[in-house]
Amino acid sequence: MSLNKNNKYTYLLIFFTIVINAQKNNINEKTAVLTQELEKVVVTATRTKKLISSVAMPVEIVSKKEIQQINAMRLNEVLEEQTGLITVPDYGGAAGVQMQGLDSQYTLILIDGVPLIGRIAGSLDINRISVGNIAQIEIVKGASSSLYGNDALGGVINIITEKPIRGTKVNMNYRGDSFNTHDFNSTIAIKKGDVSISAFINRYQNAGYDLNKTDDIKTIDPYVNHTFNTTIIYKINNKLRLNVSSRIYNQEQEYVPTANLKGKENANEWNNHLVLKYKENENFNGLFDFYITNYKTNSYLNNTDTNSLDSESYFDQLLVKPELRIVYKTKYHSEIVGGIGLNYETLDRTDFSTKPFFSAPYVFLQYDKVIGKRTNVILGARFDNHNKYKSQFSPKFAINYKANNHLNLKGSVGYGFKAPDFRQLYFDFTNNAVGYTVVGYNAVKTVIPRLEQQGQINNIIVPISSFDNKLNAENSLSINFGANFKASSLFSLSANVFKNNIKNLIDTRVIANKTNGQNVFSYYNIHDVYTQGIEINTTLKPSQQLKIKAGYQYLIAKDESVKQKFKNGNVFARDKNGSSFLLARNDYFGLFNRSKHMVNLKFYYNIPAWKLDTNLRTTYRSKYGISDTNDNGYLDKYDRFIKGYAIADFAINKNIAKHYKLGFGIDNITNFKDAQNISNIPGRIIYGKINIQF
Amino acid sequence: MNTIKFLTFAILFAFTTISCNDDNDDNIATSELKVKTVSNLHALQESDYTTNPPTISGDYIKFSFSTGTTTTGEDWDIAFRGTTILVNSGTATAADQPARTGNAQLYIANETTFANVTEVDTSLFKSDDATNGLAIAVAPNNGWYSYSGEPYHRITSTSGKIIVIKTNDGHYAKMEIESYYKDKDASNSANPDNSISGAQYYTFKYVYQAENTTKF
């Protein structure tokens, strides 16, 4: 359903009509409602358990129930339906998530509080994560480096896996669809006495798809992946508890980039996570956390014409992360969280000048105080020491004011940073076909003299001496201010205004010309970028059967220096005849891949008598630019844009007998596709699902 | 819709005709400053990547602004091969370039439009130089063109850059490169085969000032 402007207004109009009608119904049925849903608890925002309404930061929770209702298989399917989040595929096809207008490399992705690794080109592929054993997803928006350090610049997404509850539980799911995708997962959980064990297994097979039939290659090549997850929780005594979980993931994908090149790409990941929790009493507990994870990929390409090996590449990253944390509640309504830890990280990769390692010890402290009956103040800070870039100090301040039983006002200011990654420091890559070279910041001093010696350098544009200082971490100051209003269980509304000022954004520039006419590129700190906007979410329950959720995000994302250039009249474009003309100040559109408007509207309807639930969800994003088609370096209104579009999904689920549940649905009902520009939307998907549990 | 299109067209047409007439009536000297266009000048360059470093070959196509044609003689002002543009003065930067026997010089006026270059800044002229490189650097984004990189590999004449030339015969010219592709069609730029991508075909417009003045 590609909406043109007229349709867009109709769509909004329908939405508001529904809102108004629904409110009318509220009054009639208010008295009929007796049940009150239990309020959700969130841990990611403060690393302590908090009721969602009392958290001072903007937080969203996606529950297991919601994941099940939409019959999602992978994390990206869940996240792209949330307000303000979209998944954006990068060059390699990895689906990263954009949050508050910040690129996916600026969002930290955690599983049970510890980070996932394997950002090959910056973004983390969230398609990697099966949602089959997720208890809830917590999304914290705004810089959160005061607790989580590196990467928590735009926000944090924490995936909380399910923990066994009393007895034995077996759960099996299968979903198959019209694109020949097969997802099977099963959980077995046993809790007996002081020990609980759970095991999760998932096999996901995707046949890939081809949006452009005229060329020789597929848009997405077929792949299969497996996830195994086990958790053991052992209550050693009343004060001590041990939690060991391990996750293994592997994926094998066909790799056919051109008609005569054929190969395979393998990914292997393992995570081991040990938590030893000591609880002295209600007021004091301590926790030792040990996490070790490895992400490895291998790929090769064979030339089918000559029957010989064309190329091979590998990526092997290891992270070891011990952390010690304590939580202490004082008599004076305050809570102190303190932690100390170390990030030790190595990477072995093709096209690297060395096998680098990062070693970064850190310490953090958070003071959480309730003042009077209405105000909660949080003060936190973290210090990260680093062997390869400048040390970082990340403070945060947040406040929550409970105006009355219906209204909460919230504000937070925080610092976030993203350290230069290994690629930006140690890359040593020459493109064989075209001949250009990309060199990491720290590798410049060895690579340029080598290229000079080989007679490949024509002239040097940026002298090597300017690489004496360390590359700065990208950092941001983020401000969030919002309100939560809950009239009753029938109606709630929340709004959050945000602004992220990002400094020292890392980009590439030409540092030398080569004798072959090509350039040597390296990384440097340049841009000051900002993103700002407002996010609004509302939930309506006109009746016990019907729930309506709607969300909207307005976003402006611009580069400050580019804005200035447009203002000063330094930017030109070329008209259809080929003549240059000056661009006006408001011709600057902003950063690539940002939509000004994002809307979602979801209806959930259930008929308890039939044990049936159904839902219809739509998401809309307004126009955005993906490339600088007139090559002046900036996204201006004369570049080509992708028109705004909407995706609508439908699902229906019914319980049969005691142990069975059948599901059916259509994702992307209108069969929206854009073969040229949007590679991650395959078209209409019709699926069926079966769930067995006992 | 079609009516509007037609009307716009008609008005535009009428306007152009009228303004042309005005020029002719006004001043005889400026009427000679006609904007001329050279289309699809083929500056073939071949690269053999089987050798290391790659072997680059092809003839430089020489152009003279006073005659408005290509030339094989010594009277050339600028010469093209692939993305490289030479000027006929100074010293060669590579062995396979033609010898510089003339007095032509040039500079790039940045962040302007063709119409807005109304006066020559004679202090900015440069020659090719064996030690300092060509007057127009060959590297993308540094010289006359921008390179889009993956996946389109498109060469675009950077907007806002006008080349100002002092010609061999002591006059001035200004030129704007409009396209590097045959018939200005860059839609196949991603294809590495130049015969399919249509690359290396220059289309440019220029004005040659035949009078003894630094003004256009």
Side-chain angles (χ1 to χ4, degrees):
Chain A
M1 177 165 55
S2 171
L3 295 178
N4 64 31
K5 229 178 193 160
N6 290 336
N7 284 346
K8 201 156 70 184
Y9 292 122
T10 325
Y11 183 76
L12 278 177
L13 197 71
I14 293 170
F15 166 46
F16 283 115
T17 319
I18 290 162
V19 173
I20 292 159
N21 286 339
Q23 276 177 323
K24 275 186 199 154
N25 290 344
N26 276 356
I27 304 156
N28 302 335
E29 292 183 32
K30 212 171 197 169
T31 45
V33 176
L34 295 167
T35 52
Q36 183 99 23
E37 267 185 42
L38 276 176
E39 204 186 335
K40 290 164 185 164
V41 170
V42 57
V43 296
T44 314
T46 54
R47 302 201 101 158
T48 51
K49 283 184 185 168
K50 289 252 177 190
L51 290 175
I52 187 164
S53 68
S54 71
V55 178
M57 301 83 174
V59 176
E60 293 294 326
I61 286 180
V62 186
S63 66
K64 181 169 185 70
K65 192 178 157 195
E66 194 177 334
I67 296 168
Q68 282 176 337
Q69 279 175 338
I70 68 169
N71 296 321
M73 298 176 287
R74 317 304 290 181
L75 185 60
N76 53 317
E77 298 163 40
V78 178
L79 293 184
E80 63 202 9
E81 290 190 7
Q82 307 307 315
T83 309
L85 303 186
I86 38 164
T87 54
V88 180
D90 68 10
Y91 289 124
V97 59
Q98 189 186 96
M99 189 192 278
Q100 288 193 344
L102 292 174
D103 269 337
S104 65
Q105 62 217 68
Y106 306 109
T107 297
L108 182 65
I109 311 265
L110 308 171
I111 289 191
D112 291 323
V114 287
L116 279 176
I117 58 167
R119 294 170 182 260
I120 293 180
S123 45
L124 195 103
D125 191 4
I126 52 171
N127 191 22
R128 219 164 88 188
I129 301 154
S130 166
V131 296
N133 65 334
I134 292 178
Q136 73 177 21
I137 302 167
E138 303 185 359
I139 303 160
V140 179
K141 294 177 178 176
S144 308
S145 290
S146 64
L147 281 177
Y148 296 101
N150 193 12
D151 290 345
L153 202 127
V156 180
I157 296 174
N158 193 2
I159 297 143
I160 314 286
T161 59
E162 279 184 296
K163 305 287 175 293
I165 1 173
R166 212 166 300 135
T168 304
K169 261 184 87 181
V170 180
N171 189 333
M172 277 186 279
N173 286 291
Y174 167 79
R175 178 184 145 158
D177 72 28
S178 54
F179 273 75
N180 210 4
T181 304
H182 302 277
D183 180 85
F184 169 80
N185 69 65
S186 178
T187 312
I188 300 167
I190 302 163
K191 184 170 182 182
K192 212 174 171 187
D194 296 334
V195 183
S196 48
I197 298 173
S198 74
F200 170 76
I201 178 169
N202 170 244
R203 181 180 197 274
Y204 179 77
Q205 182 183 351
N206 189 312
Y209 51 87
D210 193 5
L211 290 173
N212 186 355
K213 309 270 189 222
T214 57
D215 61 11
D216 301 318
I217 56 168
K218 287 187 117 180
T219 309
I220 298 290
D221 288 315
Y223 60 97
V224 179
N225 63 47
H226 297 94
T227 309
F228 304 95
N229 205 162
T230 54
T231 305
I232 300 168
I233 301 170
Y234 175 51
K235 203 175 153 192
I236 300 166
N237 57 42
N238 277 340
K239 290 181 175 177
L240 209 55
R241 206 164 69 160
L242 180 72
N243 186 334
V244 182
S245 63
S246 113
R247 178 172 174 273
I248 297 169
Y249 167 84
N250 67 59
Q251 175 169 298
E252 188 174 287
Q253 183 165 27
E254 307 278 322
Y255 183 26
V256 188
T258 63
N260 61 346
L261 290 177
K262 210 178 163 180
K264 276 212 161 78
E265 208 164 38
N266 291 311
N268 287 288
E269 179 193 353
W270 53 258
N271 321 43
N272 288 312
H273 188 195
L274 178 146
V275 185
L276 193 63
K277 201 170 178 183
Y278 175 77
K279 192 173 179 181
E280 173 62 37
N281 52 45
E282 280 308 312
N283 297 327
F284 180 80
N285 68 67
L287 196 143
F288 175 70
D289 206 295
F290 187 83
Y291 178 59
I292 177 165
T293 178
N294 174 244
Y295 185 78
K296 209 193 271 191
T297 64
N298 285 295
S299 70
Y300 67 87
L301 279 174
N302 282 331
N303 190 316
T304 49
D305 294 340
T306 59
N307 233 340
S308 60
L309 186 71
D310 177 82
S311 60
E312 272 183 301
S313 71
Y314 60 90
F315 177 97
D316 186 352
Q317 186 181 6
L318 177 82
L319 170 71
V320 185
K321 186 182 163 81
E323 186 177 286
L324 193 66
R325 243 178 8 250
I326 55 146
V327 179
Y328 176 65
K329 280 186 191 147
T330 69
K331 283 180 232 160
Y332 312 102
H333 306 290
S334 62
E335 191 172 54
I336 295 162
V337 181
I340 184 165
L342 170 77
N343 275 325
Y344 178 85
E345 204 178 335
T346 65
L347 181 66
D348 188 6
R349 179 178 184 173
T350 5
D351 303 313
F352 257 45
S353 60
T354 56
K355 285 184 192 173
F357 76 94
F358 280 169
S359 172
Y362 59 86
V363 49
F364 62 86
L365 198 66
Q366 177 182 271
Y367 179 69
D368 183 337
K369 182 159 175 64
V370 178
I371 303 166
K373 278 186 174 160
R374 297 177 182 275
T375 314
N376 175 209
V377 177
I378 292 167
L379 266 169
R382 170 164 159 149
F383 182 75
D384 284 78
N385 191 5
H386 203 280
N387 64 331
K388 291 297 190 297
Y389 61 89
K390 285 180 187 166
S391 297
Q392 297 292 318
F393 177 70
S394 320
K396 179 141 189 168
F397 171 74
I399 184 164
N400 182 42
Y401 177 72
K402 192 176 174 183
N404 56 46
N405 281 338
H406 302 292
L407 184 66
N408 270 286
L409 300 175
K410 304 170 172 205
S412 60
V413 182
Y415 176 88
F417 73 94
K418 181 185 180 301
D421 64 26
F422 283 125
R423 188 175 42 114
Q424 289 160 338
L425 296 177
Y426 302 106
F427 217 23
D428 177 7
F429 170 75
T430 297
N431 180 305
N432 288 328
V434 185
Y436 64 86
T437 299
V438 186
V439 184
Y441 190 92
N442 290 8
V444 168
K445 284 192 165 177
T446 53
V447 175
I448 291 292
R450 189 192 74 214
L451 292 174
E452 265 184 317
Q453 212 173 16
Q454 292 166 348
Q456 290 196 47
I457 299 291
N458 198 5
N459 61 306
I460 286 176
I461 291 167
V462 181
I464 301 179
S465 60
S466 57
F467 293 85
D468 282 346
N469 295 322
K470 286 177 183 173
L471 190 63
N472 268 325
E474 299 169 288
N475 58 72
S476 90
L477 184 72
S478 93
I479 301 164
N480 285 274
F481 182 74
N484 282 15
F485 176 71
K486 190 168 183 172
S488 66
S489 61
L490 304 175
F491 173 69
S492 67
L493 179 77
S494 69
N496 181 51
V497 180
F498 61 88
K499 172 142 191 163
N500 295 292
N501 278 319
I502 304 126
K503 291 211 182 315
N504 287 325
L505 213 67
I506 295 172
D507 202 354
T508 53
R509 65 172 161 177
V510 175
I511 60 162
N513 304 138
K514 292 176 78 175
T515 46
N516 64 2
Q518 292 297 331
N519 292 322
V520 181
F521 297 89
S522 187
Y523 299 89
Y524 74 135
N525 293 116
I526 165 87
H527 301 282
D528 286 358
V529 162
Y530 68 87
T531 73
Q532 61 186 42
I534 182 164
E535 181 182 331
I536 299 166
N537 285 295
T538 180
T539 306
L540 279 163
K541 278 184 194 160
S543 74
Q544 279 287 58
Q545 275 82 46
L546 182 64
K547 181 161 96 172
I548 302 166
K549 287 175 93 173
Y552 171 75
Q553 179 183 270
Y554 175 78
L555 172 72
I556 295 287
K558 287 184 168 171
D559 183 319
E560 198 63 62
S561 64
V562 175
K563 201 173 145 185
Q564 208 60 40
K565 275 185 185 159
F566 273 80
K567 196 177 157 192
N568 296 343
N570 302 128
V571 187
F572 292 78
R574 207 168 278 288
D575 65 19
K576 282 206 173 78
N577 297 322
S579 301
S580 292
F581 65 98
L582 178 67
L583 290 176
R585 188 177 175 167
N586 53 8
D587 287 344
Y588 177 45
F589 191 82
L591 304 184
F592 293 102
N593 227 326
R594 267 66 173 189
S595 293
K596 253 186 194 160
H597 309 281
M598 285 171 64
V599 184
N600 64 66
L601 179 59
K602 304 169 189 174
F603 300 90
Y604 300 86
Y605 192 73
N606 71 80
I607 308 168
W610 297 356
K611 291 183 179 172
L612 184 134
D613 68 80
T614 177
N615 58 75
L616 179 69
R617 295 111 52 212
T618 60
T619 54
Y620 167 79
R621 71 179 292 198
S622 66
K623 77 165 186 180
Y624 60 100
I626 48 163
S627 74
D628 169 27
T629 35
N630 59 14
D631 293 319
N632 59 3
Y634 314 109
L635 182 63
D636 58 69
K637 76 172 190 192
Y638 299 96
D639 286 313
R640 211 181 59 231
F641 286 87
I642 296 180
K643 274 201 298 192
Y645 64 87
I647 301 278
D649 300 327
F650 167 77
I652 183 162
N653 295 296
K654 180 172 165 45
N655 286 304
I656 293 172
K658 204 176 165 190
H659 303 296
Y660 301 93
K661 192 175 177 182
L662 291 179
F664 169 81
I666 307 169
D667 288 342
N668 191 357
I669 296 167
T670 56
N671 198 21
F672 171 79
K673 275 188 278 197
D674 181 343
Q676 232 187 340
N677 304 307
I678 307 171
S679 63
N680 60 338
I681 298 178
R684 184 191 298 126
I685 299 170
I686 301 167
Y687 64 83
K689 189 180 172 175
I690 180 161
N691 169 267
I692 306 167
Q693 54 181 331
F694 44 86
Chain B
M1 197 65 185
N2 274 331
T3 334
I4 297 172
K5 232 183 223 171
F6 175 74
L7 275 176
T8 325
F9 220 81
I11 292 165
L12 264 176
F13 186 74
F15 189 75
T16 336
T17 328
I18 293 161
S19 50
C20 281
N21 285 342
D22 276 1
D23 276 357
N24 288 345
D25 294 345
D26 229 22
N27 188 327
I28 299 159
T30 51
S31 75
E32 283 171 26
L33 280 183
K34 266 214 168 132
V35 179
K36 292 180 181 167
T37 301
V38 172
S39 294
N40 294 326
L41 183 138
H42 191 194
L44 179 71
Q45 168 178 298
E46 287 176 300
S47 309
D48 179 3
Y49 288 108
T50 57
T51 62
N52 192 16
T55 314
I56 312 288
S57 61
D59 289 331
Y60 282 90
I61 308 300
K62 301 167 179 172
F63 184 83
S64 163
F65 286 99
S66 63
T67 62
T69 57
T70 56
T71 172
T72 49
E74 301 298 323
D75 60 335
W76 60 283
D77 298 313
I78 57 173
F80 305 86
R81 187 182 81 178
T83 54
T84 309
I85 299 177
L86 309 178
V87 65
N88 191 5
S89 70
T91 46
T93 62
D96 62 348
Q97 289 174 5
R100 311 297 199 277
T101 56
N103 308 307
Q105 282 188 307
L106 58 75
Y107 69 86
I108 295 179
N110 289 303
E111 295 179 3
T112 185
T113 61
F114 192 68
N116 281 349
V117 177
T118 53
E119 184 149 17
V120 177
D121 184 345
T122 53
S123 69
L124 298 175
F125 281 116
K126 282 166 84 177
S127 301
D128 288 345
D129 189 284
T131 39
N132 295 326
L134 298 175
I136 299 180
V138 198
N141 311 319
N142 258 342
W144 67 271
Y145 68 91
S146 311
Y147 172 58
S148 70
E150 300 274 4
Y152 299 111
H153 302 289
R154 185 175 53 231
I155 302 279
T156 307
S157 172
T158 310
S159 49
K161 289 198 173 193
I162 307 299
I163 302 172
V164 180
I165 304 107
K166 189 176 92 185
T167 61
N168 251 323
D169 59 356
H171 290 282
Y172 297 104
K174 59 176 176 179
M175 74 180 278
E176 178 169 19
I177 300 171
E178 296 180 339
S179 175
Y180 184 65
Y181 293 90
K182 197 174 184 181
D183 301 328
K184 297 191 192 175
D185 177 11
S187 57
N188 295 317
S189 61
N191 199 302
D193 184 346
N194 284 331
S195 68
I196 297 170
S197 71
Q200 306 186 343
Y201 284 85
Y202 282 86
T203 294
F204 59 89
K205 66 177 169 207
Y206 71 94
V207 155
Y208 173 71
Q209 175 54 280
E211 302 291 316
N212 284 323
T213 169
T214 54
K215 290 190 166 61
F216 290 110

